[in-house]
Amino acid sequence: MDRMKRTPVREQSIAKRIGNFNEVSLGYNEEEAITEANRCLQCKKPMCIGKCPVNNKIPSFIKAIRDNDFEYAAKIIAETSTLPAICGRVCPQELQCEGGCVLGIKGEPIAIGNLERFVADWCRENEIDFSTKAESNGKKVAVIGSGPAGITCAGDLAKIGYEVTVFEALHELGGVLAWGIPEFVLPKGTVVKHEIDNIKKLGVKIETDVIVGRTVTIDELLGEEGFEAVFIGTGAATPNFMGIPGENLNGVLTSNEFLTKNNLMKDYRDDYKTPLVVGKKVAVVGGGNVAIDAVRTAIRLGSEAYLIYRRSEAELPSRVEEVKFAKNEGVEFHLLTNPTEILGDKDGWVSGIKCIKMELGEPDESGRRSPVPIKNSEFVLDVDMVIMAIGSRADTKIKDTTKGLEVNRKNLIKIDEETGRTSKSHVYAGGDIVSGPATVILAMSAGKKAAKAIHEDLSGENK
């Protein structure tokens, strides 16, 4: 066995996958998982754990896989992670756990994400259940939002006896996991549903179609509704625009609405009567994971698809694996390119997007080199749909209806970083509503911290 090379993961062929919405990566089978687990050096000071935002006991669960004890591996993961099947699929492992693997110095790091996914999928397929909980302590906690931060917080509190109710604005649970990530990356009917069902088994109550800030306020939850604490995990999903001419044309939309309609209204399925109008030539503006998700979705809907990003490939914030998939599937990348105007026809529909070429100048506040326009480099890309995927911001409904809740200039909720406590007593927050758009695993980490702080405060353990 060559320890320097990881065990390959089977994938759908390119020709097949661009014509369906089935998962691209097929994951490891038992033999492949054990082979990959045997590469692990079982370091005495494993840096992979420190790089994991929820501090999964990575060497321990990998050793259990190596020993062919998949149920024990799952039990180890369950101690720290609420959503292993999801994290194994969508976490940026190359920047986190795998980025700390010593084998990555001279070779390829252990495929920690694929091993976590294998264990979680094996658990689901074999109906292994770790949803044990303590006797109810009679204390009620409200969780706003059923995304990764909210679900993690709810699960951790329910396990130790709290009566938790999750309030979700949409008709389906999962937050961004349900509406924002395509089926070919994260299957909803199997993976997401199973993780949500595990939370329900813990006794967590769910109320959908509840918009906190309109249907009910946080002050009402803490008052007449009788909740002793509230966790806000609503995310930050109000889309941004560039502010360039032509953004009000027909055929311009945001990645949020494009992906939400495709995911929640099942536009990709022939048996659902909700056809999605999609351009023959689609430009997606942005370089993050959401942009890659949108452009790969357009490919599967039969479009020619282009990704426009103002920096170079080295600065792309999306996962390396997803960029590779997009290229293989036929996405045309226009890097170091920035839109300046969206062009329209006489009927008010998109007819093209005017762009200018860029070069990298001095680093900006984030440390990345700032893109600078190149004179006389303008060109027009022939497209009939433009999807904006340039980030999102926080909604203001909760801020506007909650007395004493402090936010920053971006309307993100201010918290104590170690605990998730906000400026308002008995109110906690975490995830994108605090940090701005980030990763699933960071949202989970925030949910865990807040659950710990809520328990300490309500039980008196922090006194």
Side-chain angles (χ1 to χ4, degrees):
M1 179 184 67
D2 184 355
R3 281 194 184 274
M4 293 299 106
K5 291 186 178 180
R6 65 169 64 190
T7 307
V9 180
R10 291 164 292 115
E11 300 171 358
Q12 270 201 84
S13 70
I14 297 169
K16 276 189 175 181
R17 74 192 194 216
I18 62 173
N20 65 52
F21 276 77
N22 298 331
E23 208 170 357
V24 171
S25 174
L26 302 179
Y28 285 146
N29 59 29
E30 292 186 11
E31 182 182 352
E32 292 162 342
I34 292 171
T35 299
E36 181 63 15
N38 272 291
R39 293 180 59 227
C40 181
L41 299 176
Q42 292 292 310
C43 303
K44 291 182 178 179
K45 295 182 179 180
M47 292 184 285
C48 54
I49 295 178
K51 295 275 281 185
C52 173
V54 297
N55 298 122
N56 279 336
K57 298 174 183 176
I58 295 166
S60 296
F61 87 73
I62 291 178
K63 183 179 184 299
I65 296 172
R66 187 186 68 190
D67 295 340
N68 201 24
D69 193 346
F70 307 138
E71 184 171 345
Y72 184 51
K75 186 176 182 180
I76 293 169
I77 294 173
E79 292 176 11
T80 49
S81 179
T82 310
L83 309 170
I86 291 169
C87 290
R89 286 168 165 84
V90 304
C91 275
Q93 288 98 2
E94 67 272 14
L95 300 177
Q96 295 176 346
C97 55
E98 293 178 12
C101 178
V102 69
L103 285 178
I105 297 172
K106 293 185 178 181
E108 294 180 308
I110 298 294
I112 299 169
N114 283 311
L115 290 175
E116 181 180 25
R117 168 187 167 165
F118 164 77
V119 172
D121 288 353
W122 184 91
C123 235
R124 182 182 69 250
E125 291 160 5
N126 288 275
E127 299 182 351
I128 305 299
D129 185 7
F130 294 110
S131 55
T132 56
K133 60 171 293 184
E135 186 177 342
S136 173
N137 60 21
K139 297 180 185 293
K140 292 172 58 179
V141 177
V143 171
I144 306 172
S146 66
I151 288 298
T152 300
C153 184
D156 281 10
L157 288 170
K159 287 176 184 176
I160 54 177
Y162 288 88
E163 296 179 8
V164 183
T165 301
V166 174
F167 296 94
E168 169 56 47
L170 296 177
H171 62 285
E172 283 197 29
L173 300 172
V176 69
L177 305 173
W179 62 259
I181 302 176
E183 187 76 8
F184 54 84
V185 176
L186 184 63
K188 310 298 179 288
T190 52
V191 176
V192 176
K193 182 180 182 300
H194 179 74
E195 303 288 30
I196 296 295
D197 286 347
N198 284 340
I199 298 300
K200 292 179 179 178
K201 288 177 183 177
L202 293 169
V204 173
K205 298 175 183 177
I206 306 289
E207 292 196 27
T208 57
D209 303 307
V210 176
I211 302 175
V212 176
R214 285 187 184 170
T215 313
V216 66
T217 67
I218 285 178
D219 290 323
E220 288 169 344
L221 290 174
L222 291 171
E224 53 255 47
E225 297 294 332
F227 289 97
E228 296 187 46
V230 175
F231 174 76
I232 306 170
T234 53
T238 302
N240 292 327
F241 283 90
M242 291 185 68
I244 60 176
E247 284 185 317
N248 60 342
L249 288 167
N250 295 318
V252 179
L253 62 162
T254 67
S255 55
N256 292 35
E257 56 188 315
F258 180 70
L259 291 170
T260 298
K261 193 168 188 296
N262 189 263
N263 285 320
L264 294 192
M265 299 183 73
K266 308 294 192 294
D267 288 313
Y268 60 90
R269 286 175 53 170
D270 293 335
D271 56 333
Y272 274 66
K273 306 300 181 183
T274 55
L276 178 66
V277 176
V278 66
K280 293 181 179 179
K281 296 182 178 182
V282 177
V284 176
V285 181
N289 289 319
V290 176
I292 296 291
D293 286 344
V295 78
R296 294 179 66 204
T297 296
I299 284 280
R300 283 160 173 74
L301 294 172
S303 306
E304 290 182 30
Y306 313 97
L307 189 89
I308 300 173
Y309 180 60
R310 63 185 186 144
R311 288 184 166 94
S312 71
E313 183 169 346
E315 283 79 35
L316 277 170
S318 50
R319 293 184 66 199
V320 173
E321 182 181 59
E322 299 299 317
V323 173
K324 181 195 76 173
F325 285 157
K327 287 181 177 179
N328 290 342
E329 291 164 6
V331 174
E332 187 176 304
F333 282 66
H334 287 267
L335 302 173
L336 287 169
T337 301
N338 205 38
T340 57
E341 182 180 358
I342 302 172
L343 307 175
D345 62 19
K346 59 183 179 60
D347 297 317
W349 288 86
V350 171
S351 63
I353 185 166
K354 189 175 181 181
C355 303
I356 189 167
K357 299 298 293 182
M358 311 290 283
E359 61 184 356
L360 295 178
E362 295 301 315
D364 61 14
E365 292 179 357
S366 69
R368 293 190 296 176
R369 294 170 62 193
S370 303
V372 179
I374 299 173
K375 290 183 180 179
N376 303 318
S377 65
E378 294 87 354
F379 68 98
V380 173
L381 194 59
D382 177 24
V383 298
D384 55 1
M385 177 175 276
V386 175
I387 299 173
M388 289 292 177
I390 54 171
S392 55
R393 61 189 188 280
D395 184 84
T396 63
K397 285 189 290 294
I398 286 180
K399 178 206 74 170
D400 294 341
T401 59
T402 307
K403 296 176 182 178
L405 187 66
E406 293 183 8
V407 300
N408 65 17
R409 60 184 180 83
K410 294 182 179 180
N411 288 316
L412 299 173
I413 297 173
K414 292 182 179 180
I415 63 165
D416 175 83
E417 294 292 337
E418 294 300 314
T419 63
R421 296 185 183 100
T422 71
S423 57
K424 186 176 178 67
S425 181
H426 304 297
V427 177
Y428 309 74
D432 291 2
I433 191 62
V434 169
S435 64
T439 63
V440 169
I441 192 71
L442 288 173
M444 287 175 58
S445 176
K448 289 183 77 67
K449 286 180 182 178
K452 183 175 182 289
I454 290 170
H455 174 58
E456 288 175 350
D457 292 345
L458 296 186
S459 67
E461 287 188 6
N462 67 334
K463 293 180 181 178

